[in-house]
Amino acid sequence: MNRLDALKYFVVAAETLSFKNTAVRFSVSPQVITRVISELEEELGEPLFKRNTRSITLTEFGSQFVPKSVKFLQEEEQLFGSAKAAEDELSGTVRITLPPYPYHDRILHQLLTALEPYPNINIDWRTNFENLKAVDDQIDIGIRISQTPDEHWIVKKICALKEPIVASPKLIAKTGLPKDLFELVEKFPVGNILNPSTGKPWNLFIGEVSLPIINTSVMTTDLSSLLQAVLTGRIFAPIMLEDCQPYLDSGELQIVFENNENEIFSLYLYRPYQAITPKRVQVVFELLERILKKDL
């Protein structure tokens, strides 16, 4: 048994609680991970994991062995580090997921420009509304709009989002103004972004009260398309203030309700908790944080 490899396998298995995902991470078969972990347990004289047919969990001894293993691996890396090793730390792919935000192209341009000193860092840039999983989808960094950040991630809050409900003067002249959000969702044509987990548009909010849209006239996965549907006079819809401000100034749109005065949704930058985070991921994460806070 190669003890160094065994500790690396163990640390990742403790992080993912999956021999299968650990095998994918190291490009070996799950049988290899199972065998090496068993040999490590035999040498230590203690079980590291409790196993059943569906899942694995760390034993008390395994939980105590994790920080010792991580410390050893870090010290080993420092001891045998070299200029080549430092270069390798800043090589490889960083996978990033984010919603199809109207300015994501601008953000990507700024990120790639900032990465010019790191030519060996590759970017896998995925825009969608699905909450991808760090292990299953091998996501390193995410940008997400949500009400509360996931406690299982390292999270940086970028900004709170203001999304007034707006409409065109043309539509308002045709339908009149609703007296409140309850009447809006019940009797007026409303659109919003698709919630992929329900297959329906996201609800509207009064404070923390969630209101489902009854008359869904337009539903889309693209924020720019939702804005266009509002500009054509088709729907009332929540649009981020930054996106609709030019049209408010020109008179093409009108605020109907200051929908998110309580800053219900915020933009977050996150990455998963890991025993060892690659240097390239840390670099990209810090660059994105600076770009987003400056840009937004």
Side-chain angles (χ1 to χ4, degrees):
M1 179 185 64
N2 183 314
R3 290 181 176 177
L4 186 58
D5 284 345
L7 288 178
K8 290 178 180 179
Y9 293 170
F10 165 67
V11 167
V12 173
E15 170 198 330
T16 63
L17 293 179
S18 168
F19 287 177
K20 179 181 178 182
N21 291 326
T22 302
V24 170
R25 187 83 63 90
F26 289 100
S27 299
V28 299
S29 70
Q31 290 78 11
V32 169
I33 301 298
T34 301
R35 175 178 56 79
V36 172
I37 294 296
S38 295
E39 291 175 357
L40 180 60
E41 289 175 324
E42 184 177 348
E43 181 156 335
L44 293 170
E46 289 280 354
L48 297 168
F49 297 97
K50 295 178 181 178
R51 305 169 177 82
N52 59 38
T53 56
R54 294 186 177 181
S55 64
I56 65 171
T57 57
L58 283 165
T59 62
E60 182 178 353
F61 177 82
S63 297
Q64 295 172 353
F65 194 61
V66 170
K68 297 177 183 178
S69 300
V70 170
K71 182 179 179 181
F72 176 85
L73 290 172
Q74 291 172 338
E75 291 176 348
E76 182 273 338
E77 187 174 354
Q78 293 173 0
L79 180 62
F80 293 100
S82 63
K84 179 62 170 62
E87 181 181 335
D88 289 343
E89 280 189 343
L90 295 172
S91 301
T93 298
V94 178
R95 294 178 177 85
I96 303 167
T97 177
L98 71 161
Y101 183 70
Y103 306 111
H104 62 75
D105 291 341
R106 186 172 76 197
I107 295 168
L108 177 59
H109 183 275
Q110 293 183 53
L111 175 61
L112 294 177
T113 301
L115 284 172
E116 286 181 3
Y118 310 101
N120 295 321
I121 294 181
N122 305 316
I123 298 299
D124 182 342
W125 187 259
R126 309 183 188 189
T127 57
N128 55 68
F129 277 104
E130 296 181 20
N131 288 319
L132 301 181
K133 298 180 178 63
V135 174
D136 295 348
D137 302 294
Q138 299 184 24
I139 297 302
D140 298 303
I141 296 173
I143 300 170
R144 274 289 172 261
I145 297 171
S146 63
Q147 292 174 266
T148 54
D150 193 315
E151 61 182 6
H152 301 297
W153 302 82
I154 295 174
V155 177
K156 296 286 186 178
K157 181 177 178 179
I158 302 302
C159 63
L161 298 179
K162 295 184 178 180
E163 289 186 299
I165 293 179
V166 297
S168 69
K170 173 184 173 182
L171 179 59
I172 293 172
K174 178 181 177 181
T175 65
L177 287 170
K179 62 182 180 181
D180 54 33
L181 280 179
F182 293 98
E183 185 177 42
L184 176 68
V185 298
E186 291 178 358
K187 299 180 180 180
F188 288 74
V190 183
N192 207 352
I193 293 297
L194 172 72
N195 181 345
S197 64
T198 64
K200 299 178 181 179
W202 283 100
N203 294 351
L204 301 184
F205 290 86
I206 298 179
E208 296 183 357
V209 178
S210 178
L211 301 177
I213 298 172
I214 297 174
N215 299 310
T216 305
S217 296
V218 175
M219 180 171 60
T220 178
T221 59
D222 182 70
L223 294 167
S224 297
S225 298
L226 187 68
L227 174 58
Q228 291 305 313
V230 178
L231 287 168
T232 60
R234 180 79 178 183
I235 56 172
F236 295 77
I239 302 292
M240 284 190 287
L241 186 60
E242 182 180 5
D243 298 338
C244 66
Q245 189 63 61
Y247 303 101
L248 294 172
D249 295 339
S250 67
E252 294 174 79
L253 292 180
Q254 179 179 329
I255 291 179
V256 180
F257 294 110
E258 295 281 0
N259 189 31
N260 276 343
E261 294 176 343
N262 294 330
E263 300 182 344
I264 295 171
F265 287 93
S266 294
L267 187 71
Y268 296 96
L269 177 68
Y270 64 83
R271 60 182 173 87
Y273 282 106
Q274 292 179 308
I276 301 176
T277 300
K279 182 66 174 178
R280 65 180 181 276
V281 174
Q282 296 178 32
V283 167
V284 173
F285 189 84
E286 291 169 3
L287 287 174
L288 270 176
E289 183 182 3
R290 289 202 294 270
I291 290 168
L292 289 170
K293 287 187 174 179
K294 178 181 178 182
D295 199 62
L296 303 177

